[in-house]
């Protein structure tokens, strides 16, 4: 029978109400280490007997977790609420005052739970860092003289995402997407870039609403475009600035002058469904969490963190906190552009079609959001009234449940989206415009048609991969079949490269 190890054992031993672990360690009966991955992506790792004692103590389990596993501040936050654990750590510090793992445990118990220990690191104790920079992206360093521990986490106690240096993430960061953006912009003549950017603004606006399965009217679309044009303003965003942004993109009835003052929740529509898909943090946590989110966003402009990583952590942090009753999703996606432009990753006035890329991979994007929201909401006991108009949450909603999460896959996803925006989407739009100009010049030598109608006709034929469908034939009923065939040939010839790329 396998014996649970590390976080896995601590969760069971203290009955911790935390989201399920993505990776669990066990002491197995085999002579070699084995790894098994389930369809849902969770991994089970069995270690051979003899590597770990058969019945590890709480301190031994905590040592194993800190030594072998990814740092899990959520589990540790829940664990350090238990007084016997704090007593064990005090004894650990007394018996092994120079132990790096004991000092990390003591510091984290103090940082996460406010625990006090009668301890001070002996003189000459080597400082230990919470995160190994070879394995994680790290933040600015803050030293604790008491424990001789250096806190280099991303963020603060109120909000601290974790980003692991996976092989995928290392590869994406090594591509230097900021330089690729700069080279792509320099390669496009100013007039052409201006026209391309105009379309990209339109595409980004439509896509951000498309993700929410909405089609905005011209007024709402214009407001969101105006907000996109404001991206990159100097200064750290705060409550006043976020309210200003929120007021720009919602109806006057939904405009808010401060962060929310009541518990909100998300539910999918459905008759008598009466279920919450996500219950964000309680009101008292919103302001400190959002202040910490703003601090992480500032890392980009300060050069302390890759801009796309900082933008991702901050943007997903905002949507997880859900500081408003309306507009959170659009603000979440806008914040990506704000951080990127503020850091100089994207030039002033230029917007990458990130939401358009997210829309193309909507299932993946949705799964990333649910990986945070679903396991946390499933831990809560709540009650919605019969009309799903009010909610009462009966369970505790501790800070550690919301403030910490692994953002690695989110960063990988957003870096991949950004990479495709630069390498494919921007190039495709420029190719479209150049093909369009060549097509118009050739057709205007013999075709007398209003410019706006000609533009629409070209677009329709391109969408039809070089052919005008029978359903759209009445759009140019004044033309003969021979003329339509000639137009199709011209469009197909000039747009061949663009159409091949889209298929």
């Amino acid at each position: 029978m396998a014996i649970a190890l590390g976080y896995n054992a601590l969760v069971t031993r203290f009955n911790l109400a935390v989201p399920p672990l993505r990776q669990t360690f066990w002491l197995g009966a085999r002579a070699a280490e084995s790894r098994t991955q389930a369809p849902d992506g969770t991994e089970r790792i069995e270690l051979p007997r003899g590597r770990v004692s058969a019945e590890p103590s709480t301190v031994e389990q905590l040592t194993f977790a800190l030594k072998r596993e990814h740092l899990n501040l959520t589990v540790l936050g829940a664990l350090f609420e238990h007084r016997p654990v704090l007593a064990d750590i005090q004894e650990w510090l007394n018996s092994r005052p120079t132990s790096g793992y004991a000092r990390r445990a003591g510091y984290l118990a103090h940082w996460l739970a406010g625990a006090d220990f009668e301890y001070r690191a002996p003189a000459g104790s080597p400082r230990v860092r919470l995160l190994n920079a070879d394995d994680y992206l790290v933040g600015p360093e803050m030293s604790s003289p008491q424990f001789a521990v250096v806190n280099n986490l991303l963020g603060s106690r109120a909000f601290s995402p974790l980003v692991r240096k996976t092989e995928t993430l290392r590869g994406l960061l090594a591509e230097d997407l900021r330089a690729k953006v700069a080279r792509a912009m320099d390669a496009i003549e100013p007039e052409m870039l201006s026209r391309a950017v105009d379309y990209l603004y339109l595409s980004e606006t439509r896509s951000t609403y498309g993700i929410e399965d909405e089609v905005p009217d011209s007024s709402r679309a214009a407001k969101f475009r105006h907000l996109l044009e404001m991206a990159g303003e100097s200064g750290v965003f705060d409550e006043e600035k976020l309210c200003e942004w929120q007021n720009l993109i919602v109806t006057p009835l939904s405009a808010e002058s401060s962060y929310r003052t009541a518990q909100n929740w998300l539910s999918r529509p459905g008759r008598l469904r009466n279920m919450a898909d996500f219950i964000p943090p309680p009101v008292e946590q919103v302001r400190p969490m959002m202040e910490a989110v703003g601090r992480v966003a500032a890392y980009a402009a300060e050069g302390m963190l890759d801009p796309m990583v900082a933008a991702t952590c901050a943007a997903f942090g905002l949507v997880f906190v859900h500081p408003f009753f309306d507009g959170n999703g659009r603000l979440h996606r806008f914040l990506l552009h704000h951080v990127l432009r503020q850091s100089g990753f994207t030039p002033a006035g230029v917007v990458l079609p990130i939401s358009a890329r997210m829309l193309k991979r909507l299932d993946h994007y949705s799964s990333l959001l649910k990986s945070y929201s679903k396991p946390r909401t499933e831990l809560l006991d709540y009650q919605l009234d019969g009309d799903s108009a009010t909610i009462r949450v009966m369970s505790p909603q501790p800070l550690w449940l919301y403030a910490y999460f692994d953002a690695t896959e989110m960063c990988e996803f957003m870096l991949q989206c950004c990479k495709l925006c630069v390498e494919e989407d921007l190039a495709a739009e420029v190719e479209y415009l150049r093909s369009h100009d060549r097509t118009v010049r050739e057709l205007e030598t013999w075709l007398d048609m209003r410019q706006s109608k000609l533009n629409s006709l070209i677009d329709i034929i391109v969408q039809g991969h070089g052919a005008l469908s029978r359903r759209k034939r009445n759009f140019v009923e004044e033309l003969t079949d021979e003329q339509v065939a000639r137009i199709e040939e011209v469009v197909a010839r000039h747009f061949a490269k663009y159409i091949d790329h889209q298929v």
Side-chain angles (χ1 to χ4, degrees):
M1 178 179 176
I3 299 173
L5 294 174
Y7 292 126
N8 186 24
L10 294 168
V11 168
T12 302
R13 182 173 297 179
F14 293 95
N15 194 28
L16 304 181
V18 295
L21 299 172
R22 297 285 292 171
Q23 187 182 66
T24 57
F25 281 82
W26 303 80
L27 188 62
R30 299 179 182 179
E33 180 177 319
S34 66
R35 293 174 177 258
T36 307
Q37 191 156 23
D40 63 358
T42 58
E43 186 179 30
R44 177 188 176 101
I45 303 172
E46 287 197 17
L47 302 180
R49 293 189 183 276
R51 296 269 293 274
V52 185
S53 60
E55 294 185 9
S57 65
T58 295
V59 164
E60 286 175 316
Q61 298 288 20
L62 192 49
T63 301
F64 181 92
L66 294 173
K67 184 178 182 179
R68 289 290 306 266
E69 303 189 63
H70 306 314
L71 185 64
N72 192 319
L73 296 174
T74 301
V75 172
L76 294 176
L79 179 69
F80 295 146
E81 289 184 347
H82 293 260
R83 288 187 177 275
V85 175
L86 302 183
D88 287 343
I89 294 174
Q90 179 68 73
E91 183 179 345
W92 190 10
L93 289 167
N94 292 341
S95 62
R96 299 193 61 190
T98 60
S99 165
Y101 295 114
R103 288 186 282 134
R104 284 192 187 96
Y107 174 82
L108 286 168
H110 175 73
W111 191 72
L112 289 166
D116 289 322
F117 298 101
E118 294 183 4
Y119 170 83
R120 190 167 189 87
S125 296
R127 296 192 308 167
V128 292
R129 288 169 172 76
L130 291 181
L131 298 179
N132 184 336
D134 291 335
D135 301 321
Y136 300 92
L137 294 180
V138 299
E141 296 190 345
M142 294 176 290
S143 294
S144 164
Q146 181 184 5
F147 296 95
V149 166
V150 177
N151 184 338
N152 57 351
L153 297 169
L154 295 176
S156 66
R157 181 176 178 271
F159 172 76
S160 187
L162 192 77
V163 183
R164 294 174 284 110
K165 288 184 177 179
T166 61
E167 185 177 344
T168 297
L169 188 70
R170 290 176 193 272
L172 288 164
L173 292 175
E175 293 199 30
D176 194 0
L177 294 178
R178 181 203 291 263
K180 284 192 174 185
V181 171
R183 287 195 297 270
M185 299 302 170
D186 290 343
I188 305 170
E189 54 271 32
E191 188 274 337
M192 186 65 71
L193 179 60
S194 176
R195 291 168 61 194
V197 166
D198 189 61
Y199 171 78
L200 295 177
Y201 269 110
L202 176 62
S203 173
E204 188 64 9
T205 299
R206 287 176 175 172
S207 297
T208 200
Y209 280 97
I211 287 172
E212 298 176 3
D213 201 23
E214 292 184 32
V215 179
D217 59 27
S218 57
S219 175
R220 294 176 72 197
K223 287 180 178 180
F224 190 78
R225 171 162 181 161
H226 177 56
L227 180 61
L228 284 176
E229 291 170 344
M230 293 171 60
E233 293 179 336
S234 62
V236 177
F237 74 82
D238 54 16
E239 184 173 4
E240 182 180 359
K241 178 58 67 176
L242 270 172
C243 288
E244 177 187 334
W245 292 342
Q246 191 260 3
N247 291 178
L248 281 173
I249 60 171
V250 298
T251 64
L253 289 176
S254 297
E256 300 175 52
S257 58
S258 68
Y259 292 145
R260 58 181 167 87
T261 55
Q263 180 69 64
N264 55 354
W265 73 98
L266 278 71
S267 288
R268 285 168 290 174
R271 276 177 57 84
L272 305 177
R273 190 167 180 271
N274 215 36
M275 288 175 59
D277 293 302
F278 178 44
I279 300 175
V283 171
E284 61 271 16
Q285 292 175 14
V286 172
R287 187 165 285 107
M289 287 189 74
M290 286 306 304
E291 287 175 355
V293 168
R295 186 73 195 105
V296 171
Y299 289 165
E302 294 167 2
M304 288 192 287
L305 191 61
D306 176 85
M308 196 70 234
V309 171
T312 299
C313 290
F316 278 86
L318 184 150
V319 82
F320 293 154
V321 178
H322 237 67
F324 300 108
F325 289 102
D326 188 25
N328 297 285
R330 278 158 279 159
L331 286 175
H332 147 73
R333 291 182 290 277
F334 161 75
L335 190 56
L336 294 166
H337 297 288
H338 175 70
V339 175
L340 292 180
R341 192 178 293 172
Q342 193 177 58
S343 67
F345 184 95
T346 48
V350 173
V351 62
L352 295 175
I354 294 175
S355 293
R357 268 292 157 186
M358 295 163 75
L359 184 58
K360 291 177 181 177
R361 304 179 65 190
L362 189 56
D363 287 347
H364 191 177
Y365 173 52
S366 297
S367 72
L368 292 172
L369 294 173
K370 290 176 184 175
S371 70
Y372 177 94
S373 62
K374 184 178 179 182
R376 285 163 173 79
T377 301
E378 288 177 342
L379 292 170
L380 301 177
D381 183 18
Y382 64 92
Q383 186 174 34
L384 287 165
D385 66 20
D387 297 325
S388 293
T390 60
I391 191 170
R392 184 164 70 94
V393 182
M394 284 80 79
S395 307
Q397 294 171 274
L399 178 65
W400 50 256
L401 182 63
Y402 292 102
Y404 319 117
F405 61 98
D406 191 320
T408 308
E409 290 185 25
M410 299 166 195
C411 291
E412 290 174 348
F413 173 73
M414 293 311 308
L415 281 162
Q416 288 164 348
C417 286
C418 182
K419 171 182 166 70
L420 293 172
C421 283
V422 177
E423 294 180 351
E424 296 185 10
D425 298 337
L426 180 60
E429 178 55 22
V430 172
E431 177 64 29
Y432 179 94
L433 292 173
R434 287 176 174 153
S435 300
H436 180 274
D437 290 350
R438 292 192 298 268
T439 301
V440 168
R441 283 196 296 269
E442 181 169 343
L443 290 178
E444 283 184 336
T445 62
W446 62 271
L447 181 64
D448 184 16
M449 181 177 287
R450 191 173 69 252
Q451 186 67 53
S452 60
K453 186 170 184 176
L454 178 57
N455 291 339
S456 297
L457 176 60
I458 292 171
D459 195 36
I460 290 170
I461 295 174
V462 171
Q463 291 175 16
H465 304 301
L468 184 67
S469 67
R470 289 186 178 182
R471 188 168 58 87
K472 298 290 182 70
R473 180 63 176 82
N474 61 352
F475 182 74
V476 285
E477 56 186 8
E478 73 275 15
L479 299 180
T480 65
D481 289 344
E482 289 75 13
Q483 288 174 317
V484 169
R486 187 176 176 185
I487 295 170
E488 288 176 330
E489 186 279 326
V490 173
V491 173
R493 175 160 36 86
H494 288 301
F495 278 89
K497 182 178 177 180
Y498 178 86
I499 292 172
D500 286 345
H501 179 76
Q502 299 302 306
V503 175

